[in-house]
Amino acid sequence: MSSSVLTAVAWPYANGPRHIGHVSGFGVPSDVFSRYQRMIGNRVLMVSGTDEHGTPILVQADAEGIAPMDLADRYNRVIVDDLQGLGLSYDLFTRTTTRNHYAVVQELFRTLHKNGYLVPKTTTGAISPSTGRTLPDRFVEGTCPICGYDGARGDQCDNCGNQLDPADLINPRSKINGEAPKFVESEHWFLDLPALADSLGDWLKGRSGWRPNVLRFSLNLIDDMRPRAMSRDIDWGIPIPLEGWQDRGDKKLYVWFDAVIGYLSASMEWAARSGEPEAWREWWTDPNAVSNYFMGKDNITFHSQIWPSELLGYRGEGAKGGEPGPLGALNLPTEVVSSEFLTMSGSKFSTSRGTVIYVRDFLRDFGPDALRYFISVAGPETQDTDFTWEEFVRRTNFELANEWGNLVNRSVSMAFKNFGAIPRPGTVTDADAELLRTAHAAFDTVGADLARSRFRSAAGEAMRVVSAANKYISDTEPWKLAKDPAQADRLATVLHTSLQVVSDANALLTPFLPHSAQSVHELLGGGGVWAAQPEVREVDDLVSPSLPEGPVGAGLPAEGRSYPVLMGDYAAEKAVWRRTEVQPGTPLSKPTPLFRKLAPELGETGPEWAPVDK
């Protein structure tokens, strides 16, 4: 029986193109996981979109002299194109400036308020003296008052992990222009985290199988649960849906209150666009469904503390009680899958500092699968990892081109040259049977790793099958067998065995290398779509029919807008997580190289457009 699996992918911020550090955290890992889950027969819903509210959008729009929505529109399209090129198989990649998202966010706010978990409180906020505009917590930095780390942000210290407020910092300064912020009093709505702490702690203590660093960090947050502001003094965001607040132009919901709700709103939008408006409930209200959330480590707190707390409050399960909202008892995350940082020369990728390799540049010169493979086998799965061109060239040349590409090329080439089709095997020897057993057993070992989001180990196990097959070909020497007519049956058996293992390895590598997997499928005579790719579709804005009747919200964006989304017909693909027996007599064609080898000197300098890695 298939399971319902929600893949909730962190929302990239719509203030510029994505770089490879971004997609190493949220993009490639979530897609590898989702493609595997589809291959084993589970019903996957993979959702995300561009995060488009908050002060950073305003600051950049002001600098460019354009409206915030114009900036969001521009980079939404850029990011959609980037992620489509990388082959990220979203069921829906949308955005947060939709009528549907506004309405869903306001529904959760109303129920949290009704249940008593959103409370008004006067607080001290940071204001830019030169502009009079609110500085978001993350745009204020200074020295942590707890551990003394000089570089703590106004929302938390990345060194000790403690939650902070900007006013807590020693020598606070604006990250925008370096000026000391002015602190003023303002009334806002706070999520009452202390009233949800016991329920959140019980839930976290019941988690098993999480990456240890994620669970440790999350449990440590319980010790310092304070009310957290869910609104801001800002004119760009979702209106607060309460009388006396909803028409105010100077106060909006905090971007991180609304962005995490995007997983739910995107699911509801997907259902409406798919013609089954209530289908989202299969992943959100069925207690047997599972949900895996993918992100970088700087977003753990929002996914293991803030979002679960919002869900608990909506369900009425905190210390104040309450009743579930109209959408029902929504499921909490099954697992939070956080990656560490991909760095370059020991520093985080940073557009402002010029330490950046954009996804679109990488795809243009090297294609998607080389990047997907590198992130999977050498990315920041459990610790910060430094990207170097030398390592990228080595992985591409020796693993993708020499190992995998060479196995495919010589297996198919020799079979095409000598038989023109997949040959019928003769007597199977111990060596043949051993290789076939090795490849067959890998479906269990690689699959177990992928199910637990252990991508590096999974890719390594798949490549061990490739290495074993290459050794088998070297040992059996089919090129010599081809010269002796008396060895025709043996040649047929060796090449049939090789092609079967190529087929097996292609399935094992499909989650990592979906583009080349399609090519190998076709080389082996397969028809149709093996590994489906996402499509860019232009859609009209809508509001989910699942929302409760009555006013759908205050200050929703204007009707009649259209925007690009990523969707795909993944149910039609043929990729399966099991051995597919190659059929004797299936016509073959002469193959072309699967991967292009890179010049060794590229590892020393990188391409001309790349930052210097020294």
Side-chain angles (χ1 to χ4, degrees):
M1 183 177 178
S2 63
S3 298
S4 301
V5 179
L6 174 69
T7 305
V9 191
W11 293 58
Y13 207 59
N15 63 341
R18 297 303 88 187
H19 56 63
I20 66 171
H22 290 134
V23 297
S24 70
F26 76 83
V28 172
S30 62
D31 189 62
V32 172
F33 176 81
S34 294
R35 287 183 180 276
Y36 164 73
Q37 292 292 337
R38 292 192 189 102
M39 289 178 73
I40 64 174
N42 287 334
R43 279 182 51 81
V44 173
L45 181 59
M46 178 174 169
V47 294
S48 185
T50 44
D51 182 1
E52 301 180 0
H53 293 124
T55 300
I57 293 286
L58 277 174
V59 171
Q60 189 166 338
D62 283 350
E64 297 187 22
I66 61 175
M69 184 64 85
D70 291 337
L71 185 79
D73 283 343
R74 179 205 305 167
Y75 286 119
N76 166 260
R77 289 187 179 274
V78 168
I79 293 169
V80 163
D81 288 342
D82 286 351
L83 303 187
Q84 191 272 339
L86 194 53
L88 304 187
S89 56
Y90 289 100
D91 291 276
L92 181 69
F93 183 89
T94 180
R95 58 195 304 185
T96 59
T97 53
T98 68
R99 292 172 59 79
N100 181 71
H101 181 68
Y102 274 50
V104 175
V105 168
Q106 291 177 341
E107 160 53 30
L108 262 72
F109 184 96
R110 280 190 292 266
T111 296
L112 283 165
H113 177 261
K114 179 181 178 182
N115 284 343
Y117 297 106
L118 282 168
V119 295
K121 182 180 177 183
T122 298
T123 185
T124 301
I127 302 292
S128 167
S130 61
T131 67
R133 178 169 287 157
T134 297
L135 287 169
D137 295 348
R138 288 195 167 197
F139 272 55
V140 181
E141 63 181 7
T143 301
C144 176
I146 299 171
C147 71
Y149 174 65
D150 185 21
R153 300 193 309 263
D155 59 346
Q156 72 179 47
C157 175
D158 285 339
N159 186 56
C160 66
N162 283 288
Q163 180 181 333
L164 301 172
D165 288 319
D168 296 334
L169 296 173
I170 300 169
N171 298 321
R173 56 194 178 274
S174 166
K175 292 179 68 174
I176 298 174
N177 56 20
E179 66 185 358
K182 178 182 177 182
F183 292 98
V184 298
E185 288 191 342
S186 182
E187 187 178 24
H188 285 289
W189 289 95
F190 278 67
L191 182 63
D192 192 353
L193 289 174
L196 295 158
D198 287 344
S199 295
L200 181 68
D202 290 343
W203 171 72
L204 281 172
K205 291 169 186 175
R207 301 302 90 202
S208 62
W210 283 27
R211 291 178 179 177
N213 60 319
V214 178
L215 189 55
R216 274 197 308 271
F217 179 88
S218 303
L219 287 169
N220 286 339
L221 294 173
I222 302 298
D223 296 332
D224 188 32
M225 293 274 277
R226 291 178 284 169
R228 190 153 187 173
M230 291 291 115
S231 60
R232 283 292 187 272
D233 291 305
I234 190 173
D235 59 2
W236 173 243
I238 298 178
I240 300 167
L242 296 175
E243 187 175 350
W245 291 79
Q246 62 188 27
D247 296 323
R248 294 189 62 169
D250 61 337
K251 291 185 185 291
K252 304 292 182 185
L253 290 174
Y254 181 31
V255 62
W256 263 110
F257 178 79
D258 91 76
V260 290
I261 297 173
Y263 302 118
L264 174 61
S265 69
S267 301
M268 296 172 70
E269 181 184 343
W270 165 83
R273 296 198 183 285
S274 301
E276 300 179 62
E278 300 299 318
W280 62 273
R281 295 185 182 278
E282 180 180 336
W283 290 270
W284 283 95
T285 61
D286 181 350
N288 294 317
V290 297
S291 56
N292 286 48
Y293 288 68
F294 289 83
M295 74 221 62
K297 67 178 178 181
D298 53 340
N299 288 333
I300 294 175
T301 184
F302 299 103
H303 293 84
S304 67
Q305 182 192 50
I306 303 300
W307 179 226
S309 294
E310 291 180 21
L311 290 168
L312 287 165
Y314 189 84
R315 292 159 60 119
E317 294 184 6
K320 296 180 177 180
E323 297 293 331
L327 299 179
L330 302 172
N331 291 338
L332 274 70
T334 303
E335 183 170 0
V336 172
V337 185
S338 167
S339 297
E340 304 295 294
F341 289 139
L342 185 68
T343 60
M344 191 168 192
S345 301
S347 299
K348 285 178 61 177
F349 279 95
S350 168
T351 302
S352 62
R353 292 194 300 266
T355 310
V356 63
I357 301 173
Y358 289 118
V359 169
R360 54 181 41 206
D361 293 331
F362 213 107
L363 296 181
R364 182 191 62 233
D365 285 3
F366 307 111
D369 279 2
L371 177 56
R372 292 174 62 103
Y373 181 75
F374 180 86
I375 289 172
S376 297
V377 299
E381 185 174 305
T382 56
Q383 61 184 16
D384 290 355
T385 304
D386 214 39
F387 173 86
T388 67
W389 287 107
E390 180 182 17
E391 182 68 1
F392 172 70
V393 169
R394 188 186 73 80
R395 295 279 186 178
T396 300
N397 287 353
F398 290 97
E399 295 176 19
L400 290 182
N402 285 1
E403 285 284 299
W404 176 225
N406 188 43
L407 174 63
V408 173
N409 186 71
R410 60 179 178 170
S411 298
V412 177
S413 293
M414 285 188 287
F416 170 75
K417 178 180 178 181
N418 290 281
F419 298 97
I422 296 175
R424 185 173 300 280
T427 303
V428 175
T429 68
D430 290 346
D432 307 331
E434 178 59 27
L435 178 62
L436 290 170
R437 281 194 297 269
T438 296
H440 191 264
F443 284 99
D444 288 337
T445 55
V446 176
D449 282 334
L450 289 176
R452 298 172 62 236
S453 298
R454 306 301 192 260
F455 306 114
R456 181 176 295 191
S457 175
E461 288 294 327
M463 289 302 292
R464 272 189 270 281
V465 173
V466 172
S467 297
N470 277 316
K471 183 179 185 302
Y472 167 83
I473 291 177
S474 297
D475 291 344
T476 55
E477 299 180 315
W479 54 88
K480 290 185 178 179
L481 297 174
K483 296 176 182 179
D484 184 357
Q487 296 290 339
D489 284 349
R490 181 60 189 151
L491 175 64
T493 303
V494 168
L495 292 179
H496 182 277
T497 300
S498 299
L499 292 174
Q500 180 61 66
V501 176
V502 165
S503 175
D504 293 342
N506 192 50
L508 295 169
L509 289 167
T510 292
F512 308 101
L513 310 172
H515 301 83
S516 56
Q518 179 67 39
S519 298
V520 174
H521 171 71
E522 294 169 3
L523 281 175
L524 294 175
V529 176
W530 173 259
Q533 295 299 327
E535 305 167 2
V536 179
R537 302 177 186 174
E538 196 78 16
V539 299
D540 293 328
D541 209 346
L542 55 73
V543 175
S544 170
S546 289
L547 287 162
E549 294 183 4
V552 293
L556 268 61
E559 295 185 71
R561 291 174 63 226
S562 63
Y563 52 94
V565 299
L566 287 179
M567 300 183 77
D569 184 13
Y570 309 114
E573 67 182 9
K574 295 186 175 182
V576 290
W577 194 258
R578 62 175 182 270
R579 168 166 288 169
T580 301
E581 300 288 347
V582 295
Q583 297 301 312
T586 302
L588 298 171
S589 55
K590 186 176 181 179
T592 56
L594 202 58
F595 291 96
R596 173 174 60 92
K597 291 190 71 172
L598 305 177
E601 54 266 26
L602 180 70
E604 301 174 5
T605 62
E608 292 182 359
W609 47 262
V612 177
D613 180 22
K614 294 188 183 205

